[in-house]
Amino acid sequence: MTDRTDRPERISATQLLAKLADEGSWHPWDSQITALPDDAGYAEDIGRAREKTGLDESIICGEADVNGVRVAVVVSEFGFLGGSIGRDAGRRVVTAIRRATAEGLPLLALPASGGTRMQEGTAAFLQMVNITAAVVDHKAAHLPYVVYLRHPTTGGVFASWGSLGHVTLAEPGALVGFLGPRVYEGLYGEAFPEGVQVSENLRSHGLVDLVVAVDELGSTASRIIRLLVDPMVDAEHSRREPAGPSSGPSSAPGLSEGTVVESSAWDVVEQSRVPGRPGVSQLLRESADEAVELAGGGELNSRSGIILALARFGGHSVVVVGQDRNRQVPGSLVGPADLRLARRGMRLAQSLHLPLVTVIDTPGADLSADAEESGLANEIAHCIAELTALTVPTVAVLLGQGAGGAALALFPADRVIAMENSWLSPLPPEGASLIVYRDTDHAADMARSQGIRATDLHAAGIVDVVVSEAALGGFLPELGDRLAAELDALDDSTVEARAGWRTERLRRIGGVEI
């Protein structure tokens, strides 16, 4: 099988650097490689590759300003033996990554490679382990690692450092996959299915965050990196009202008895279900200073509307994970794949030392046989466990519906904000009525008796802040301000203090000493 005719035109490493780097900012890091292998045929291949590309190896490393953001760069040259990685190229990548780590620089990797260099066999193959170890150490230093998968990226490069980005971008129409299609056809005697190993298909399955044209790469990458490395970008940012742990309504900032309406529990449930009620994507558009959606939002593996995004509220960069009912495909509820995306967001926040904001607005989890067999309960449990173990600041926003395990999986946090017409319950009231009364006629009674309203949860000390929905311009700006205020206060807190707040909330929930 040959490459599709509509594959993107390959751009050389030097051309790409010329597009990316601000004028005069590129500084190469590489030491010149002049040695040739002992094998005469292989030496001739190397010589021809050097003459063809003007480069000494398949990798170029250095540092540059990209739209004013200083980054370390590792870029492949596919024209040099298919961008393959041998020992010299592997050592060059490792050296560059470790230098970026030592100098505290974000790392932008731009692979275009067929994988391991076959002429060098196992020694080249194992370079992927060395490169991966360097990437792991870079990320352990809480430094951003952003990958841009170029056409083509296959084999061991894709299966190692090409798939480890905090954020993964890809070139439109690029061939991206583990096994090259011509190798597949040679091994199995049939063509690899068309359209599978394409960046857009990987995006639809949640394996790529954004598909970005080469000409837009600099602006997109710099924007993302700024969000990842600038927790407080505005030195003049004024502190909002501080928010500490509350023990009841009287001490919870943000709850105003004059503006928060004490509606009946069933009225709250009905208001939370009003078609077109703002969701997390609208919150990001209208209330965040800046936001970039990375994955989810109705893609094939996130058809419940689960969204992973980077955003900034009041100068604080955060990772956002939430469900948007307005993005939800009819009949698609939160399933195991959605919760795996949520867990990715948790790990992203922890890795980069960024606060995590979870947004809950879900009618419930997928109760299908497929969800059971794919480990729904296991994913809910691991979401709860990971949230409770995070050391970064966390804020949960109960935006509307909060039904069952899908809500519980995103609920544990240092601070919990609830909208006036939001609720939290083991099941939707209709489901609770079925269990207790064997009909749905008592749903309103169950909503009342279970104490599911935001105001009930606040009175019980489970919710810290209830935000009024009475604002004429909509409640999203007020919610955005409240989020910024909570992040301000959490920014001044210690890990130990936040652990104490979580313990106190658990004590209130359980009614026992912990």
Side-chain angles (χ1 to χ4, degrees):
M1 175 181 175
T2 58
D3 285 352
R4 297 183 339 183
T5 57
D6 57 344
R7 295 292 190 195
E9 181 180 354
R10 292 191 184 116
I11 181 171
S12 72
T14 52
Q15 289 172 324
L16 182 58
L17 288 172
K19 287 177 175 288
L20 273 182
D22 296 348
E23 187 174 357
S25 70
W26 170 251
H27 296 287
W29 285 354
D30 303 324
S31 299
Q32 185 71 18
I33 300 172
T34 58
L36 290 170
D38 294 334
D39 181 279
Y42 181 27
E44 289 180 3
D45 291 339
I46 294 285
R48 282 192 294 268
R50 289 176 177 173
E51 183 177 353
K52 173 185 175 183
T53 63
L55 303 177
D56 62 348
E57 250 300 343
S58 63
I59 290 286
I60 302 175
C61 305
E63 60 180 301
D65 292 338
V66 178
N67 281 14
V69 178
R70 198 66 175 165
V71 297
V73 180
V74 174
V75 56
S76 299
E77 174 50 71
F78 191 82
F80 195 107
L81 299 182
S84 57
I85 300 296
R87 284 167 292 186
D88 288 338
R91 282 193 292 265
R92 180 170 281 183
V93 175
V94 170
T95 300
I97 295 173
R98 298 212 178 278
R99 178 169 173 176
T101 306
E103 297 186 13
L105 289 174
L107 179 60
L108 178 60
L110 308 157
S113 172
T116 299
R117 190 165 298 172
M118 293 297 114
Q119 296 92 329
E120 297 185 23
T122 302
F125 179 51
L126 294 177
Q127 291 301 315
M128 306 308 172
V129 177
N130 291 339
I131 297 171
T132 298
V135 170
V136 168
D137 290 343
H138 185 80
K139 294 170 73 173
H142 310 296
L143 294 168
Y145 178 54
V146 177
V147 175
Y148 182 61
L149 301 170
R150 297 157 55 217
H151 173 65
T153 302
T154 61
V157 168
F158 181 50
S160 57
W161 52 287
S163 292
L164 294 175
H166 286 117
V167 177
T168 301
L169 315 175
E171 185 179 6
L175 168 64
V176 179
F178 179 54
L179 186 61
R182 280 177 288 186
V183 175
Y184 180 92
E185 185 174 2
L187 290 174
Y188 300 108
E190 60 183 21
F192 196 84
E194 185 73 19
V196 173
Q197 295 177 313
V198 181
S199 52
E200 287 82 358
N201 186 51
L202 299 188
R203 158 69 174 161
S204 72
H205 285 81
L207 300 175
V208 163
D209 292 309
L210 296 171
V211 176
V212 180
V214 170
D215 288 341
E216 299 171 1
L217 176 60
S219 60
T220 302
S222 61
R223 184 183 177 202
I224 288 170
I225 291 171
R226 281 194 177 96
L227 281 169
L228 297 179
V229 299
D230 290 342
M232 281 292 292
V233 296
D234 185 358
E236 301 301 319
H237 171 61
S238 59
R239 293 281 177 181
R240 293 167 169 81
E241 177 186 2
S246 67
S247 57
S250 63
S251 62
L255 177 71
S256 170
E257 298 295 346
T259 56
V260 174
V261 179
E262 287 282 351
S263 303
S264 73
W266 187 245
D267 283 342
V268 166
V269 171
E270 290 189 317
Q271 284 298 312
S272 74
R273 294 171 173 174
V274 170
R277 179 179 170 86
V280 61
S281 56
Q282 191 172 343
L283 170 66
L284 293 172
R285 287 196 307 272
E286 297 187 16
S287 298
D289 305 328
E290 186 173 7
V292 177
E293 288 189 24
L294 297 181
E299 301 293 350
L300 289 182
N301 273 4
S302 299
R303 295 169 69 85
S304 67
I306 285 280
I307 290 171
L308 170 62
L310 301 172
R312 186 175 289 123
F313 291 94
H316 296 274
S317 290
V318 300
V319 177
V320 178
V321 174
Q323 191 207 20
D324 193 327
R325 280 188 301 121
N326 299 322
R327 297 276 192 90
Q328 182 176 315
V329 175
S332 295
L333 298 173
V334 173
D338 303 304
L339 296 179
R340 283 192 288 273
L341 178 59
R343 288 173 63 195
R344 180 193 160 197
M346 298 170 198
R347 291 190 293 270
L348 180 63
Q350 185 74 18
S351 176
L352 290 164
H353 270 191
L354 293 177
L356 175 72
V357 175
T358 62
V359 183
I360 301 163
D361 189 10
T362 174
D366 184 359
L367 304 180
S368 67
D370 182 65
E372 290 282 358
E373 292 174 346
S374 299
L376 175 63
N378 183 274
E379 291 298 332
I380 293 172
H382 280 88
C383 278
I384 298 170
E386 290 198 30
L387 276 176
T388 57
L390 290 179
T391 60
V392 298
T394 54
V395 180
V397 177
L398 192 53
L399 190 62
Q401 299 184 93
L408 193 64
L410 299 180
F411 187 78
D414 299 324
R415 297 285 293 170
V416 180
I417 304 171
M419 298 312 301
E420 178 183 308
N421 291 309
S422 66
W423 51 276
L424 183 69
S425 174
L427 282 175
E430 296 87 346
S433 178
L434 279 169
I435 290 176
V436 175
Y437 295 101
R438 298 182 184 276
D439 61 42
T440 59
D441 299 337
H442 295 79
D445 296 331
M446 292 303 301
R448 181 184 65 255
S449 65
Q450 287 187 316
I452 69 175
R453 297 178 302 174
T455 49
D456 297 326
L457 300 171
H458 182 271
I462 295 170
V463 161
D464 298 298
V465 180
V466 180
V467 177
S468 169
E469 298 184 18
L472 293 177
F475 59 74
L476 291 180
E478 185 173 348
L479 175 56
D481 288 343
R482 172 46 53 185
L483 263 173
E486 298 294 338
L487 292 165
D488 275 344
L490 289 170
D491 190 54
D492 290 334
S493 66
T494 64
V495 174
E496 292 75 20
R498 294 195 297 273
W501 299 350
R502 296 180 191 184
T503 299
E504 175 62 17
R505 191 186 313 278
L506 292 173
R507 186 194 66 76
R508 293 195 297 266
I509 292 172
V512 295
E513 294 298 326
I514 296 177

